[in-house]
Amino acid sequence: MTTKPLDTAAPALPRPDTPTTDKTPPAARVTIRGTARAARRFTVPRSVRRAAGPVGLVLLWFLTSATGVLPESVLASPVDVMRQAVELTKNGELPGAVAASGRRAATGFLIGAAIALSLSLLAGLFRLGEDVIDSSMGMFRAIPWVGLIPLFIVWFGIEETPKIALVALGVTYPLYFNIYGGIRSTDAQLVEAARMMGLGRLGLIRYVILPSALPGALVGLRYALSTAWLALVFAEQINADAGLGYLMSNAQQYFRTDIIVLCLAVYALLGLTCDFAVRILSRRLLTWRANFEGEA
């Protein structure tokens, strides 16, 4: 019995001069098109998209007020609010109220920021500071700071001090926890590499730990600024004789919803301005950090 030897020769490849026919079915071919067309596609600017929501709400407010769906006794129309804004600006009452509220918010914010920065550095950089400070801050954070208003009145009276203290207390917590979290989230490998390069404790803090904690600190700053204006709304209800809260209290007694809405709108604009400033500051300070900015 003889066995036929296996044919192990490789299949012959076509010669370069041999014409070949493309037998690939049309459905399997991939054609990349539309790249230039997609580049020329019109896109709405982000600033317009950001303003679309608030503008749409104002238009809805105006339409419901003009058609009578929203009675004036429930909520004044945007036209009445703008009329009151012009009148209060002309007689100087609104600018004076904004200035008084701004001084309280700025003073309370500076005090709260100084306290939060000191405590977060001690708790974040040292284990002893963490053991002593962090648990206490977590305990006090669970206490509603608005509920401390009666106690602040007992301690500080009814002048400017309890108002500033309430703003400072509201600012302290978000700043502390974000800075502390940013310090403790520093990459341990970066710390070890910095030590191997000969950096001392101060150099390690300055060039490694603090830059790593900066994104968290800026997030805490945004929260703290919004909380400062929120705390001011409650603080100015404490026997205030000037400020936006004072205007709101007087308007409440006479059921002037136009003035109440105007004061709330001013609070919102002030908070939005502070948030916009922090966003610009973040872009300037975090140019070294690549961030995900969302899908197009």
Side-chain angles (χ1 to χ4, degrees):
M1 180 176 180
T2 61
T3 60
K4 186 179 181 179
L6 298 176
D7 187 8
T8 58
L13 298 177
R15 296 176 57 185
D17 56 349
T18 302
T20 58
T21 58
D22 186 5
K23 297 183 179 181
T24 304
R29 299 176 184 175
V30 178
T31 304
I32 301 176
R33 298 176 180 175
T35 304
R37 186 183 303 173
R40 294 193 298 267
R41 187 176 57 186
F42 174 75
T43 57
V44 181
R46 293 193 65 187
S47 58
V48 177
R49 287 183 290 175
R50 285 178 177 272
V55 172
L57 290 176
V58 173
L59 289 176
L60 179 63
W61 177 21
F62 174 77
L63 292 176
T64 53
S65 299
T67 56
V69 176
L70 186 63
E72 188 176 352
S73 58
V74 176
L75 188 64
S77 67
V79 178
D80 295 334
V81 174
M82 290 301 299
R83 187 181 298 112
Q84 280 298 322
V86 173
E87 292 180 3
L88 293 178
T89 302
K90 287 182 177 179
N91 60 24
E93 194 170 356
L94 184 60
V98 173
S101 297
R103 285 193 299 268
R104 291 173 183 142
T107 305
F109 175 81
L110 291 176
I111 295 174
I115 295 174
L117 182 61
S118 302
L119 294 179
S120 59
L121 289 177
L122 290 175
L125 297 176
F126 308 102
R127 293 181 181 177
L128 179 61
E130 179 187 11
D131 297 338
V132 175
I133 297 173
D134 190 60
S135 58
S136 300
M137 290 296 292
M139 178 183 64
F140 287 122
R141 178 66 181 87
I143 301 175
W145 45 267
V146 179
L148 297 176
I149 292 178
L151 193 59
F152 282 0
I153 293 176
V154 173
W155 288 348
F156 307 117
I158 57 175
E159 300 298 330
E160 291 295 308
T161 305
K163 304 176 182 61
I164 295 174
L166 190 66
V167 174
L169 185 65
V171 165
T172 300
Y173 295 120
L175 268 179
Y176 167 80
F177 284 109
N178 280 277
I179 297 176
Y180 169 77
I183 292 174
R184 286 306 176 96
S185 64
T186 303
D187 192 350
Q189 295 181 354
L190 290 178
V191 176
E192 188 64 26
R195 286 174 176 170
M196 293 179 62
M197 293 180 62
L199 280 179
R201 175 173 293 183
L202 294 178
L204 185 66
I205 293 173
R206 179 179 178 182
Y207 296 107
V208 179
I209 296 177
L210 292 184
S212 299
L214 185 59
L218 291 172
V219 173
L221 182 61
R222 293 182 65 181
Y223 277 111
L225 287 171
S226 61
T227 306
W229 293 109
L230 176 62
L232 190 64
V233 175
F234 296 97
E236 290 188 334
Q237 306 299 320
I238 308 174
N239 194 35
D241 56 357
L244 295 172
Y246 173 70
L247 288 180
M248 291 179 62
S249 298
N250 288 343
Q252 179 186 1
Q253 297 178 5
Y254 298 100
F255 301 98
R256 297 294 302 274
T257 58
D258 51 353
I259 298 179
I260 294 175
V261 173
L262 173 61
C263 294
L264 292 176
V266 173
Y267 276 125
L269 289 176
L270 291 174
L272 185 63
T273 302
C274 294
D275 186 76
F276 181 71
V278 176
R279 290 171 67 92
I280 294 178
L281 183 64
S282 300
R283 292 178 182 177
R284 295 290 182 88
L285 295 179
L286 300 180
T287 53
W288 52 270
R289 186 169 178 260
N291 296 326
F292 175 68
E293 297 183 352
E295 297 290 344

